[in-house]
Amino acid sequence: MMSPVRASLFITCLADTLFPQTGRATVAVLERVGVEVDFPLEQTCCGQMHANTGYGHEVGGLVRRFVRVFGDAEVVVTPSGSCAAMVREGYERLAAEAGDEALAAQVRELAPRVLELSELLVGRLGVEDVGASFHHRVTYHPTCHSLRLLKVGDAPLSLLRAVRGIDLVELPEAQQCCGFGGTFAVKNSDTSTAMLTDKLRRILDTRADVCTAADSSCLMHIGGGLQRSKAGVRVMHLAEILACEDG
Amino acid sequence: MKAGFPKAARVALADSQLRRNIGHATSTIRAKRARVVGEVDDWEALRDAGAEIKERTLRHLDVHLERLEESVTRAGGTVHWARDGAEACRVVAEVARAHGSDEVIKVKSLLSDEIGLNDALARAGVHAVETDLAELIIQLDGDSQSHILVPAIHRNRAEIAGIFRRELGVEVSDDPGELTAAARAHLREKFLSVKVGVSGANFAVAETGHVVVVESEGNGRMCTTLPEVLLSVVGIEKVLPRWQDLEVMLQLLPRSSTGERMNPYTSIWSGVSGGDGPREFHLVLLDGGRTNVLADTVGRAALRCIRCSACLNVCPVYERTGGHAYESIYPGPIGAILTPQLRGLDQAPTLPWASSLCGACYEVCPVKIDIPSILIHLRGRVVRETKAEGLSERAAMGAMARVFASRRTYEAAQRMAKLGRGPLASAALRPWTRSRELPTVPDQTFRDWWREQRS
């Protein structure tokens, strides 16, 4: 197995601005398993929100920026399933729509090196036990884009199963969307809320005190709902649980 | 005037009976489908074959359609070409009246509802009798369909018994046996007396001129065999090049739609045969906006659809809103990409956003229509080609794009967000906070922490 010596962290604008603890945890976990992490400060946003809302024509520049910032990276790692999917599954289409064949070729070359955190740890490095300890009842929500676009499968679960002290409980109907869907949560707020309510009910039924996932955006949605209903259940990104050594 | 999806959905979301009915029905069909699909070893290969057949056909649709016309004519049928729904309705009305009939019996047909056939016939003095059990319930109740396969999915047994008691004047309980017996008594008389039958079709085979109707009840077969005259109104995308293509399609369709290995009734006929079945057969081939859909190289994959409704049953949005919120005979994920393309983007501009892009629909589609990608594509077209998306959204998106365009503007916006101002802070809107808390903006961004730690 070839271990990458260096991984460039693609933090995502959301985690950078709102959930820095997820970024710090990602760095901690990666360094603990021997990955040298580098963080290119020129990165901003992958353009997912624009592209998925019908404004893909506004963010051709962000595709170019991403290729410029990360083009030389050995591996690009991100704690977000949907942002990884944006680059891997969406960028080529955006480049083609912009009529930029050279950019599309660069994207094709870079895309396979862009990995979501659990893909890098389990799929690439073959690590499941990252030396974490977390004594809580936890349930895992597989986010739609991790599941259906990246096809990460059980990688996040195998990382969680190896955490010492964890009481991991299965989330019923786990594969149903939480209702976030980016601007869907705002443009179709009522339908989104109905989906969220059912997701929250499933989470509460598990009696977990922590709900985890590998995407800050879905967690922001689920967490926002849990907090509003004063459910007493908190959300934590997968990386944050994996970073815990004495939890 | 249509209300648009977000508003129309609100009505359904507040209807507890409807939520319960649809939640129960979709989860039942979902489980059935998963079971019968799971037992087919080469299911993925079948999906590939289905997608391939449909895609290849659409690329040379004109050739296959002319071949279909030749085959049907050779078998003794008459082919009519209809540019739009009005033309198709006119043909049906004229044929019915030419036979002195003021009534027609109908097989369940989505297309006939797409073009408003029943109303058009009524205006021409011809009453259309729906014979599909669910369509009959809808027709008796003056309601509209909410599911491609199970039109009355939003109704439960007790509600249906009420409709029968009221509209048919019969005493029935909510026992399924009693309900079907009541419908049977009502319909038998029609099957034996009405001279003109109208159907749609699941497939039409260019090579042989065969028309195929796939159904569960057998009422469709009565309509296609008992009347003297049969009209089939069929969308041009339903053509298959070869007889052998049915081998793939008839495996994909029942497993995907009703969750059965094989559907109870498959009626296949070509033209007319002396002394058996209708004496006259008319095939009405309808464009109805489909040629325009073909012109969109991304969006046209929607025309592969074989109307199985698997995408509806797995869709978390449909499961909660039901079909009426889509304000179209084609609801759910497939409706969200088909309706705006058939009607014109400005006629259904909110539908491409009626999805969280979770991708469950693409996973089950038997002809592998990448619905999420087409939704995104159509969102882009609505933004660029219509004025449906408001100026404030356009301005916000433009502002955000400028923020992300450089490190300087991005970091400045992050500093503003800490003060609760600027594009990154105001992106959070009231529709979010109605049901969800917003995260608090932390004192230190990740990049600030990194700079502090590492440099």
Side-chain angles (χ1 to χ4, degrees), chain A residues 31 43 52 55 187 228, chain B residues 379 389 393 437 447:
Chain A
E31 291 183 343
Q43 64 182 286
N52 285 355
Y55 295 82
K187 287 165 99 62
R228 170 61 57 91
Chain B
R379 291 175 184 188
E389 293 307 298
E393 180 186 291
E437 297 295 329
R447 62 180 53 227

Side-chain angles (χ1 to χ4, degrees), chain A residues 30-214:
Chain A
L30 289 171
E31 291 183 343
R32 199 194 295 148
V33 300
V35 176
E36 194 185 324
V37 182
D38 143 64
F39 179 72
L41 284 158
E42 284 298 315
Q43 64 182 286
T44 59
C45 164
C46 67
Q48 185 191 175
M49 181 187 72
H50 284 86
N52 285 355
T53 310
Y55 295 82
H57 54 282
E58 299 252 23
V59 291
L62 293 183
V63 180
R64 282 185 200 98
R65 163 175 286 272
F66 192 94
V67 168
R68 194 172 67 239
V69 172
F70 290 106
D72 293 332
E74 198 174 313
V75 165
V76 180
V77 63
T78 180
S80 162
S82 61
C83 298
M86 181 68 226
V87 175
R88 245 157 61 185
E89 306 294 320
Y91 266 20
E92 199 180 335
R93 185 175 56 214
L94 281 181
E97 276 170 15
D100 193 336
E101 254 316 305
L103 181 63
Q106 287 173 310
V107 166
R108 269 194 298 277
E109 193 275 322
L110 172 60
R113 283 182 281 133
V114 179
L115 302 175
E116 179 272 331
L117 178 63
S118 71
E119 291 183 307
L120 173 62
L121 291 172
V122 180
R124 192 63 64 90
L125 301 176
V127 178
E128 291 188 350
D129 185 349
V130 298
S133 163
F134 191 72
H135 289 78
H136 293 276
R137 192 170 171 92
V138 176
T139 194
Y140 164 72
H141 166 66
T143 61
C144 300
H145 291 186
S146 298
L147 197 69
R148 301 196 180 90
L149 291 174
L150 299 182
K151 305 192 192 306
V152 302
D154 270 355
L157 276 173
S158 58
L159 288 161
L160 287 167
R161 284 189 201 110
V163 173
R164 266 162 286 284
I166 197 168
D167 176 12
L168 190 63
V169 278
E170 196 185 323
L171 181 65
E173 305 230 18
Q175 302 197 348
Q176 266 221 359
C177 179
C178 74
F180 175 60
T183 47
F184 173 80
V186 175
K187 287 165 99 62
N188 279 288
S189 169
D190 296 283
T191 307
S192 164
T193 298
M195 290 159 73
L196 176 62
T197 301
D198 288 338
K199 180 58 72 180
L200 297 185
R201 189 175 58 228
R202 302 288 184 203
I203 293 169
L204 297 180
D205 281 348
T206 67
R207 308 223 164 261
D209 48 290
V210 175
C211 172
T212 189

Side-chain angles (χ1 to χ4, degrees), chain B residues 95 142 180 284 324 388 395 412 432 453:
Chain B
V95 170
T180 37
V284 185
H324 291 154
W432 175 279
Q453 294 290 310

Side-chain angles (χ1 to χ4, degrees), chain A residues 190-191 194 198, chain B residues 6-24 141 143-144 146 152-156 159 317-325:
Chain A
D190 296 283
T191 307
D198 288 338
Chain B
K7 264 195 194 154
R10 216 167 289 156
V11 179
L13 289 167
D15 185 337
S16 56
Q17 182 70 64
L18 178 138
R19 294 280 296 274
R20 172 175 283 269
N21 293 352
I22 294 182
H24 174 71
D141 197 32
D143 196 359
S144 60
S146 70
I153 195 169
H154 56 291
R155 294 289 183 213
N156 66 16
E159 292 172 294
V317 172
Y318 178 88
E319 185 180 338
R320 285 159 187 90
T321 65
H324 291 154

